[in-house]
Amino acid sequence: MNKYDSELVSGLLNSDGFEMTDDIEKADVILVNTCSVREHAENRALSNISQLQSLKRRKPELILGVLGCMSRHLGDKIFEDNTYVDLVLGPDSYRKLPEFLKNRKRYKNVEYKEYETYTDIFPLRKDGVTAYVAISRGCNEECSYCIVPFTRGKERSRSIESIIDEIEKLLDEGFKEITLLGQNVNSYNYQGTDFPKLLKRVSEIENLKRIRFATSHPMNLSDGLIDVMAERENVCPYLHLPVQSGSNRILEAMKRNYTVEKYIGLVEKSMSKIKDLSLTTDIISGFPGETEDDHRATIELVKKVEFDSAFTFKYSPRDKTEAFGLKDDVSEDVKISRLAEISEIIREVSLKKNREWIGKVTDIMIEGKSRRSDSEVFGRTGGFKKVVLKQNNLSAGTIVPVIIKDATSQTLFGELVG
Ligand code: SAH
Ligand code: SF4
């Protein structure tokens, strides 16, 4: 979502006559987009911002701004403590940018505007074949560890027409694959149109080859959505379904509104209906009160479900959240060792799942040159698995059938069929 927001802000600046540069020395304006989800992300952003101070000293006319969730969370402090920061804008305040750039007076706006969807602004993307399109902003869930509902506010869904319009423009620009974005896409609702209906409508757009979406909250993963995924060929068989923990006690304390049994039931249903479904997840380790038994339950869940891959995080206490009132009683060492154990099991199950592809034929969409060698390209399967091909004459966006010859836990290696 931050990547999309950066593109949105670039779009705003672009229509105001600004151009993107990759060379920081050439920039007249530097905007740091920030995340508040974990303390580590905030610390990194603060260190990036402070590193820009010397550049600003050398080039006083440079405009330095801080955007995103951290502006909502710590914007007052950032603005007061760092006089070299000219601008602090929260996620709902980006429309203030052009006005600020005209006046160039130090400015801060971190107001929450519950109606803002930026529907009329066309984000400026880098060239490529895949693009993000936000379908909603904010979040109505109350996961007890999560700061997003505070920083981004209540959920608002974008109009269907504006989503379709943005996708059609992207197709005209040569993009082939769209990822629909929301903190919880499954609760999308625009004047009675729910997410399965929107997804079906999007999948009917002519020439749209691939559609993905993120993130799905397990609580409202509906049969209707599973049916659309199963029926529509251009909806990729890929589901990012964060489970967070394998212990019902912890899930309750996290206020996730589902049990492990319900989650497994959803996975089984989805797997049985959607051919070659890839499933990925998020896991938090060391939530307050997490015992060794709770941790073992998470390990058991990972082994049972066999996720294709997973993002794992150490619990990070965030003020403005309900869990902040709980004692952060799992020590750093224990968090680290539990996380390492979970990551190792995930590596093993990912390798097993990837090796199951050896000998099978699947379509991949080429995304570009491989990082390892100029004589190789890489693409992705419908299930979002990276496939490297010894081939250099295929351009990005081409969909080709490949046979999988080898696999690591991260990458598949294939050959063109025919
Ligand atoms: N709306 C999305 C993204 C939320 S943030 C979703 O619900 O999946 C992405 C991930 O960060 C979450 O899934 C969770 O695993 C992790 N996360 C959120 N708050 C956290 C915290 N306080 N400490 C550690 N991880 C956290
Ligand atoms: Fe945070 Fe939960 Fe909303 Fe995701 S669904 S953004 S974890 S509150």
Side-chain angles (χ1 to χ4, degrees):
M1 191 60 92
N2 267 7
K3 188 162 182 225
Y4 180 82
D5 276 4
S6 295
E7 292 169 347
L8 196 70
V9 168
S10 308
L12 256 171
L13 290 179
N14 193 240
S15 53
D16 225 40
F18 285 84
E19 265 175 53
M20 276 289 234
T21 172
D22 284 332
D23 182 354
I24 202 160
E25 296 285 337
K26 283 197 188 141
D28 300 313
V29 181
I30 300 177
L31 303 172
V32 182
N33 198 0
T34 59
C35 172
S36 289
V37 156
R38 284 167 294 276
E39 194 185 3
H40 180 65
E42 290 196 332
N43 289 342
R44 271 184 46 195
L46 285 174
S47 125
N48 284 338
I49 295 160
S50 75
Q51 276 170 20
L52 292 169
Q53 195 177 355
S54 60
L55 195 62
K56 173 89 181 180
R57 231 180 266 130
R58 268 196 285 131
K59 211 173 143 181
E61 71 285 5
L62 172 73
I63 288 174
L64 199 55
V66 179
L67 312 178
C69 287
M70 229 174 121
S71 302
R72 272 278 293 160
H73 182 213
L74 301 171
D76 293 342
K77 193 168 160 34
I78 293 172
F79 198 65
E80 272 159 37
D81 291 357
N82 307 289
T83 45
Y84 58 93
V85 171
D86 303 292
L87 177 72
V88 172
L89 292 180
D92 292 330
S93 306
Y94 299 145
R95 283 184 201 276
K96 300 279 181 193
L97 248 176
E99 189 187 313
F100 161 81
L101 289 166
K102 240 176 254 133
N103 305 330
R104 305 201 170 207
K105 270 222 291 281
R106 271 193 100 218
Y107 181 70
K108 174 181 63 110
N109 189 317
V110 295
E111 262 170 55
Y112 161 48
K113 299 181 191 75
E114 67 176 37
Y115 51 84
E116 184 58 272
T117 52
Y118 297 113
T119 293
D120 51 318
I121 298 166
F122 191 66
L124 179 72
R125 283 115 175 150
K126 285 202 169 166
D127 291 340
V129 288
T130 75
Y132 293 122
V133 173
I135 61 165
S136 61
R137 297 180 73 83
C139 184
N140 283 350
E141 295 307 313
E142 295 173 347
C143 304
S144 65
Y145 51 81
C146 184
I147 198 171
V148 171
F150 168 77
T151 56
R152 289 185 169 265
K154 287 273 173 219
E155 183 181 279
R156 327 118 227 193
S157 297
R158 247 179 97 170
S159 74
I160 304 151
E161 302 77 62
S162 73
I163 295 168
I164 306 273
D165 189 47
E166 187 170 330
I167 296 173
E168 282 177 343
K169 280 195 190 132
L170 284 166
L171 294 179
D172 288 345
E173 285 185 5
F175 287 89
K176 311 278 184 218
E177 178 184 293
I178 300 297
T179 302
L180 304 175
L181 288 184
Q183 298 299 337
N184 176 12
V185 289
N186 295 351
S187 62
Y188 174 89
N189 191 319
Y190 185 79
Q191 297 178 349
T193 297
D194 62 8
F195 185 60
K197 284 201 194 106
L198 173 75
L199 186 61
K200 181 153 187 290
R201 174 68 189 84
V202 168
S203 75
E204 286 160 357
I205 297 176
E206 218 178 311
N207 289 328
L208 178 51
K209 291 192 177 158
R210 283 182 162 190
I211 308 151
R212 304 184 189 279
F213 53 88
T215 299
S216 289
H217 193 301
M219 188 182 64
N220 26 33
L221 177 71
S222 64
D223 288 351
L225 176 59
I226 296 174
D227 288 344
V228 175
M229 290 183 75
E231 284 160 17
R232 305 295 304 175
E233 221 174 293
N234 55 356
V235 177
C236 291
Y238 173 65
L239 203 52
H240 182 60
L241 198 65
V243 68
Q244 314 297 0
S245 170
S247 154
N248 282 334
R249 214 175 60 80
I250 296 295
L251 286 175
E252 200 180 337
M254 287 177 163
K255 291 181 94 181
R256 288 288 289 177
N257 295 319
Y258 54 83
T259 58
V260 173
E261 294 71 27
K262 164 118 194 267
Y263 185 89
I264 291 173
L266 282 172
V267 168
E268 283 171 351
K269 198 192 298 177
S270 312
M271 292 279 185
S272 73
K273 291 204 169 168
I274 306 163
K275 190 171 172 282
D276 292 333
L277 179 68
S278 274
L279 185 75
T280 60
T281 201
D282 292 348
I283 293 172
I284 299 178
S285 201
F287 185 81
E290 186 189 74
T291 62
E292 194 54 31
D293 280 352
D294 295 320
H295 169 62
R296 295 256 73 82
T298 300
I299 299 276
E300 286 316 306
L301 179 81
V302 172
K303 285 185 181 161
K304 183 170 172 64
V305 173
E306 297 188 329
F307 294 103
D308 288 273
S309 91
F311 299 101
T312 53
F313 310 105
K314 270 187 301 179
Y315 170 69
S316 168
R318 310 278 57 215
D319 63 340
K320 319 281 185 204
T321 67
E322 196 183 309
F324 196 65
L326 304 172
K327 190 159 175 258
D328 182 22
D329 56 358
V330 180
S331 74
E332 185 68 8
D333 283 354
V334 172
K335 279 183 191 167
I336 290 172
S337 77
R338 285 182 187 168
L339 200 64
E341 194 182 348
I342 295 170
S343 303
E344 179 51 27
I345 306 286
I346 287 167
R347 205 191 56 77
E348 283 167 22
V349 295
S350 302
L351 179 64
K352 177 171 175 247
K353 294 285 281 208
N354 281 354
R355 291 194 65 83
E356 282 170 9
W357 277 94
I358 296 176
K360 290 189 185 165
V361 173
T362 185
D363 279 351
I364 66 167
M365 187 173 89
I366 305 299
E367 290 193 11
K369 289 251 178 289
S370 118
R371 245 184 297 162
R372 282 196 326 186
S373 149
D374 260 0
S375 60
E376 290 175 345
V377 291
F378 81 96
R380 288 197 190 263
T381 66
F384 204 58
K385 289 181 187 289
K386 187 174 178 183
V387 182
V388 172
L389 279 186
K390 280 202 172 42
Q391 197 85 31
N392 60 5
N393 56 350
L394 290 170
S395 54
T398 319
I399 295 185
V400 287
V402 294
I403 179 161
I404 304 302
K405 291 288 188 182
D406 200 2
T408 66
S409 61
Q410 305 272 343
T411 313
L412 305 179
F413 299 88
E415 279 173 17
L416 272 187
V417 172

